[in-house]
Amino acid sequence: MTALEIESPVVPPSEPFTDATAAVQRLILLYDIAADFLRDRFVEALRHGRPACRIRAYYPEIRLSVATHALTDSRLSFGHVAGPGVYSTTITRPRLFANYLEQQIGLLLRNHGVPVIIGASDTPMPVHFAVAGDGAVTVPQDGALDFTLRDVFDVPDLSTTHDQIVNGEDWRYPDGSIPLAPFTAQRVDYSLSRLAHYTATLPDHFQNHVLFTNYQFYVDEFEAYARHVLADPDSGYTSFVAPGNVEITEPDAALPIPAKLPQMPSYHLRRPDGNGITLVNIGVGPSNAKTATDHIAVLRPHAWLMVGHCAGLRNSQRLGDFVLAHAYLREDHVLDDDLPVWVPIPALAEIQIALQDAVAEVTELKDYELKRIMRTGTVATIDNRNWELRDQSGPVHRLSLSRAIALDMESATIAANGFRFRVPYGTLLCVSDKPLHGELKLPGMASDFYRTQVARHMMIGVRAMEMLRAMPLEKIHSRKLRSFEETAFL
């Protein structure tokens, strides 16, 4: 057999740029040429059968060459490289990431004083991702076509779809260049498609501040708050998006509920600058928590917080009390291969202060009085919802040794993945039961608890995010989450 001739689109040659806006516009042009080419050729193949040649287009890339060891302003945790070398990153969906890319490229230009090179990379763009934004075109399952798809088009490749960069595994591009960004283009594309599947909303709607919860009750309160602020033209919020990409801009607009909710329904209170708030109902369990954060991480949010329910472990706690996590006991196991349990997950001062201030503001309690309803301590996260039904001596002994004050199934996973992906994280839980002290979450008790506490808890999460939004980026994205050798891009 002879190799097929390869047909590729004609693209502008690589070119140096000293202006971030112009660089991003070139990335958009290169991406559009490649994606449009693949989409057009794929539609032709669906209509007329197998093409006579192989069809291939390439992701655009950013490339930077630095020749000096001179130190940059290291007060900022991102926007600069560690030393001499050739750095690069493949780019996808540059329209979606335009503000982020312009910011990151601008910092490189300012900190290093050398141009960035924008051109086509050597990484083929899978046809699946090229057509992902076109609702009228779908890639048939293997066997549905009269030819084998991968014989003609490039398909997703695990060699470029991975977390080796963020996991600190010293991964390099095939030409030896050092990664500029924490994710490859294929890794980003994979997560963008998964987000649309799991949340039933387009990635375009996600905001920079993400709340996670494990109960539908919080969604109702979030929608009520969204309608309230949409009635205020000075709030800065302009629309509310629900599963199915249904978007409302008026406070009393109808919001139809889909016949079938997705696995992790997401709701977006949008601002024009993307600094609104997204709420994701991840449901119960560490696997869901990992799945959601694995994919949302590629959007590079400024913070994510868990606001859900937990079991109180101390007899002095009451149902409805708040728990502000300052440490995590990780018995969830889903991240053990990516982030060993011996890695500490520190509390982040900026997040802790915002959460505590939000509790004080919403409850109108402060200082010593705040201790009546909130405790700070270790939150334990497990992967067995019915741990109480087994021999309790082992788990209870470990919980006591760790000084844990609460138990749930998501918080440590979300915090650990925030640490791994360099996304500022935090946890504020609400005690809904006390299994060690005879107060189980029974239907009658739960109804009363939900009625009195959920609205207040949701409002605390929202206010904390609004406080974090007011912080400078360099403060919220501090050096605490950066390792010895980091990517220049946030």
Side-chain angles (χ1 to χ4, degrees):
M1 293 182 62
T2 58
L4 288 178
E5 181 182 345
I6 297 176
E7 181 185 0
S8 296
V10 177
V11 297
S14 297
E15 184 177 338
F17 286 84
T18 56
D19 178 80
T21 301
V24 172
Q25 289 305 309
R26 177 57 59 88
L27 288 169
I28 291 173
L29 174 64
L30 291 169
Y31 178 83
D32 286 350
I33 290 173
D36 291 347
F37 172 82
L38 289 174
R39 190 181 306 113
D40 292 345
R41 293 299 187 275
F42 182 70
V43 170
E44 289 179 9
L46 292 179
R47 292 172 179 170
H48 306 299
R50 174 175 174 148
C53 57
R54 185 169 187 83
I55 306 300
R56 173 167 290 167
Y58 299 90
Y59 284 109
E61 72 170 7
I62 305 170
R63 188 169 288 265
L64 175 76
S65 295
V66 175
T68 176
H69 285 280
L71 294 177
T72 59
D73 184 352
S74 61
R75 291 174 299 178
L76 196 64
S77 67
F78 55 95
H80 50 80
V81 298
V86 177
Y87 300 80
S88 72
T89 185
T90 48
I91 297 295
T92 190
R93 299 287 300 276
R95 292 182 190 277
L96 174 63
F97 292 99
N99 291 337
Y100 166 79
L101 291 169
E102 189 168 331
Q103 177 195 59
Q104 303 302 306
I105 293 173
L107 287 170
L108 288 180
L109 295 173
R110 184 166 72 245
N111 287 329
H112 294 289
V114 295
V116 295
I117 309 300
I118 306 297
S121 72
D122 293 328
T123 301
M125 182 185 297
V127 67
H128 302 70
F129 300 146
V131 305
D134 189 339
V137 182
T138 57
V139 179
Q141 291 184 343
D142 191 31
L145 298 173
D146 60 0
F147 63 92
T148 302
L149 187 67
R150 68 177 59 211
D151 285 346
V152 178
F153 293 93
D154 291 292
V155 298
D157 179 5
L158 289 181
S159 70
T160 55
T161 309
H162 54 70
D163 283 333
Q164 292 181 37
I165 302 172
V166 290
N167 285 350
E169 297 178 17
D170 198 32
W171 184 82
R172 296 289 185 267
Y173 281 96
D175 64 1
S177 59
I178 305 167
L180 267 177
F183 300 105
T184 65
Q186 282 212 29
R187 171 65 170 84
V188 173
D189 265 335
Y190 171 73
S191 282
L192 295 181
S193 66
R194 292 290 82 200
L195 274 180
H197 170 75
Y198 285 121
T199 70
T201 54
L202 293 173
D204 311 59
H205 295 309
F206 275 78
Q207 301 294 286
N208 284 327
H209 305 87
V210 183
L211 292 172
F212 296 105
T213 189
N214 48 12
Y215 281 98
Q216 178 66 25
F217 298 91
Y218 285 82
V219 173
D220 300 334
E221 294 300 330
F222 190 59
E223 180 184 336
Y225 176 74
R227 292 182 180 276
H228 172 73
V229 294
L230 287 180
D232 178 7
D234 297 325
S235 69
Y237 298 107
T238 54
S239 68
F240 181 67
V241 179
N245 298 303
V246 179
E247 186 168 10
I248 62 172
T249 58
E250 300 296 330
D252 55 353
L255 194 63
I257 301 175
K260 293 182 178 180
L261 284 174
Q263 184 175 346
M264 300 176 194
S266 298
Y267 305 81
H268 314 278
L269 182 53
R270 299 188 60 174
R271 291 169 61 98
D273 59 1
N275 283 324
I277 302 172
T278 287
L279 175 70
V280 185
N281 181 6
I282 57 175
V284 177
S287 180
N288 279 3
K290 180 181 184 297
T291 297
T293 49
D294 276 350
H295 298 315
I296 292 174
V298 305
L299 298 173
R300 308 316 292 146
H302 295 323
W304 61 40
L305 305 178
M306 177 67 189
V307 286
H309 294 168
C310 66
L313 299 178
R314 304 301 178 91
N315 195 38
S316 58
Q317 291 171 306
R318 298 171 300 177
L319 300 187
D321 281 356
F322 295 113
V323 172
L324 176 58
H326 77 178
Y328 300 90
L329 175 63
R330 296 168 52 200
E331 296 201 351
D332 51 312
H333 301 303
V334 296
L335 280 169
D336 289 1
D337 291 336
D338 293 304
L339 195 70
V341 292
W342 50 259
V343 175
I345 309 298
L348 305 180
E350 296 80 9
I351 302 286
Q352 301 298 94
I353 292 171
L355 282 169
Q356 180 170 299
D357 288 349
V359 174
E361 178 184 305
V362 172
T363 63
E364 299 183 340
L365 298 173
K366 60 180 181 179
D367 301 330
Y368 192 65
E369 288 299 307
L370 199 58
K371 292 180 177 291
R372 293 183 182 274
I373 63 164
M374 185 178 76
R375 292 190 63 156
T376 301
T378 298
V379 169
T381 292
I382 58 171
D383 56 3
N384 178 10
R385 174 61 184 87
N386 298 312
W387 64 276
E388 308 101 315
L389 303 182
R390 298 180 61 84
D391 179 7
Q392 299 174 20
S393 58
V396 171
H397 181 61
R398 292 196 300 276
L399 292 172
S400 179
L401 286 177
S402 72
R403 311 301 194 262
I405 61 173
L407 182 75
D408 82 339
M409 298 187 68
E410 300 86 26
S411 292
T413 312
I414 289 170
N417 241 4
F419 180 87
R420 185 165 75 103
F421 291 129
R422 288 76 164 171
V423 176
Y425 53 85
T427 300
L428 183 76
L429 302 176
C430 198
V431 176
S432 60
D433 60 319
K434 294 166 57 181
L436 298 183
H437 309 287
E439 295 190 63
L440 303 179
K441 190 185 294 183
L442 301 176
M445 297 167 61
S447 298
D448 182 64
F449 165 74
Y450 296 142
R451 184 170 59 252
T452 58
Q453 285 300 101
V454 168
R456 187 161 70 162
H457 194 191
M458 184 77 258
M459 194 64 235
I460 290 169
V462 168
R463 284 297 299 129
M465 283 305 199
E466 291 175 338
M467 292 175 185
L468 292 171
R469 182 173 66 219
M471 289 185 185
L473 275 186
E474 59 269 20
K475 184 174 182 180
I476 185 66
H477 289 284
S478 69
R479 293 175 292 185
K480 291 187 287 291
L481 292 180
R482 312 292 276 183
S483 61
F484 295 165
E485 293 187 7
E486 283 287 340
T487 60
F489 282 19
L490 186 64

